[in-house]
Amino acid sequence: MKLYIAIAMVFTMATTFAQECNLTLQGKVLDLHDDSFLVGATIVLAGLEKAIMTDLDGTFQFSKLCTGTYNIQVSHPACTTRGFTINLTSNTDRVFRLEHHLEELNEILIKGSNYYTKAESVLENKISEETLEKYSSGSLGDALKTISGVSALSTGNTVVKPVINGMHSSRITLINNGVRQQDQEWGAEHAPTIDLNTASSITVIKGASALQFSGDAIGGVIIAEPAPIKLKDSLYGKTIFSGQTNGRGGSITTSLIKSYESGWFGRFQGTLKKYGDFEAPNYVLSNTGLSEQDGSFQFGLNRIDYGFDAYYSFFKNEIGILRASHLGGAEDQVTAIESNVPLIVNDFTYSIDAPKQEVTHHLAKVSGFYNVDGLGKIRLNYDFQQNNRLEFDVRRDSEDTRPSVDLELVTHNVSLSLENKIDEHISLKTGIMGNFQKNFADPSTGVRRLIPDYDQYKLGAYVISDIEFSDAWIVEMGARLDHTFMDAFKFYRTSFWESRNYDILFPELVVEDFGNQVLTNPELKFTNFSATIGFSHNFKDDLVLFGNYSLSSRAPNPSELFSEGLHHSASRIELGDLQFNSEVAQKTTLTLQKKGKDYSFSINPYANFVKDFILIEPTGIQQTVRGNFQVWEYRQTNARFLGVDTDFTYAFTHHLEYSNQFSLVKGVDEEKNRPLINMPPAQMSNRLAYVLPFSHPIRAELESTYVWQQNEFPNNNFDVFLPEAQTFETVDVSTPPSYYHILDFNTGTQFKLGAQSVLALDLKITNVLNTSYRSYLNRLRYYADDLGRSLQIQVKINY
């Protein structure tokens, strides 16, 4: 036995001595994200005490290596050290890639995480995280009003939706964390179902850019993005407490982020809000309380070449509608308009009764991307949304607590995109998307359904390109094609069906005739083309000129097509039209912007011409079993929008700064040659900010907002017969309220609690002078004043 072992050992030693250790391992060490050479990188062969550094072109070479498996460590200053294993059997050439400069890498990830192609030819207005935090207890519409050219269409003070250059609702696309928000956005009383605290920045594009999401953004695009996740082992977050006197309530929101250098991350965010009745300067606005609960969770992997994330958010609120706005008929409208105070004023309470809204929104998203060498970045997204809207009427039977409107909207959306940089000067992005949407209107409400059941299918494709001709000139262009198919089932009153000549125009739509009503099955198809082309030119002294032309097309929404009945939360009868065509808008913008050290400004004139513009306006009254109600009808016309937005900021010193914003838009019905209804009046705001140079600097700001009276409006007044007086009285629903001037003040400071924690204290007073005023764009302006003075205290802790 010992003889065999000895022979084996001799044979092994002979083989070892005979092995040729003349193999070579060579290669390069490159930057992972741009393939640049990493000079001075250290490569160590573990166990052999061999280490060399890369030369000026990032190359290295080991020689006289034996066959075998080697563990290799590659390092470089400001890089993440990586280990590799190589099985060496022959001369080998390898390329090692390191993540160079963590901060630069994070910047690349942040830029690459944008879900939209930046509009190089349109000025983007961005709301910073600091500004958003000031509106933590408010709504998206409240925060957006800080941008010139953006106003708010509201139903009271809690239902607020943005108006961009005179347009709102379906004409504005809202992108929430890379997903197009899908909810019942049609009317003035349908506010966006999004928690403002989920975003760290909001970008407003006043035009039909971001074509990968929609071609129907005739008014503009709003993009809400969460804070980017950095490649760093850390745990951080923030909590904001807010309390205010008007409404005698407050909110709390908190977020927590866990990230790893490997790219894995997780994020949690939650918000609670509770307010009672709000108050005008001289009385309580009864039944205007608010209750809201929101939450979101996200996790994923964020790398240079690949990544994914999964996201879920929950939004639920209960909103009271001013009790005095719910009228029994048009006769009450006369009394309400002539009265200086609401017809119903009760004591303050936190309870919310009818009329009210309850909205619940679920959003779930899964997204992934992969960088393919020679092809580009491929991204695949799927999202699911469920939106349930309940609207409660004041019923004659007080025991009947059923909603008068119960809508459930379910949406599935999938998209695939490819983003590629063809060369140093040309980038290209293409994509396709498919969308399925199902709306169910619960008939158990006992009320005629204003919006019918329908299934909607959408297919879209787009291509977008940026061309950099030089450091000064950039041109962008894009095109998109969308096809929409809507399959609806709708009951019409026979009298209405025949009065519109639908029995002659659409006899094939009738499924069944019940005598006093008919069941119909409209199957509608719309094909829409959108495009954009523009440029940006950089002059010296931080001066940039933007120019853009966009063609956008929007299919009519279900409310515009199918409304036929009493809209209880609006206290009016609304009538749509099956014959509507798609809106087609052509918008031209020109912006001159300067960003200097001491001062900056932007001037943004625009012109928007819309063919077959759809509007709703009052046309008269109609007798019902519950009284006389206003009738508002949708119609199409050709419209013209001309306007200008300006911004100016000047720093007198390091501690003192002045800023000014001005917005003006004129909307005209070209067919009737008269002003359009609900156009924002001219508005100017001036802000003076001063920083007191204490050990803990205190920031103080005074803001003045002046809103002119709208002097261009259509006359939609009508007469109503008053049985008691046996006379006809004119109901003035047209004349805008007077101009008004509001002062706001806020101040704040910060304290460092530790190495990472910061405590921020802010005090804000809105409507400092407790001015009584009414906004033309507030649908409840007929019945009550807007909000009086409010003092808000906010405590923020970063940790």
Side-chain angles (χ1 to χ4, degrees), residues 167 171 218 583-586 608-614 637-641 670:
M167 296 192 176
R171 300 180 182 93
I218 293 176
E583 291 180 341
V584 179
Q586 299 185 68
N608 198 357
F609 298 88
V610 188
K611 180 182 178 182
D612 290 328
F613 180 77
I614 301 174
T637 185
N638 293 331
R640 178 178 73 246
F641 297 81
E670 293 186 325

Side-chain angles (χ1 to χ4, degrees), residues 152-211:
L153 184 66
S154 62
T155 301
N157 58 286
T158 50
V159 181
V160 184
K161 65 192 315 174
V163 180
I164 300 178
N165 294 157
M167 296 192 176
H168 59 86
S169 303
S170 297
R171 300 180 182 93
I172 295 177
T173 296
L174 172 60
I175 309 301
N176 177 18
N177 197 2
V179 175
R180 176 171 179 170
Q181 194 83 1
Q182 303 281 354
D183 52 22
Q184 290 93 352
E185 70 212 354
W186 311 308
E189 64 287 341
H190 298 171
T193 53
I194 178 176
D195 179 11
L196 185 65
N197 296 287
T198 60
S200 69
S201 69
I202 292 180
T203 303
V204 176
I205 303 176
K206 301 171 186 175
S209 298
L211 287 177

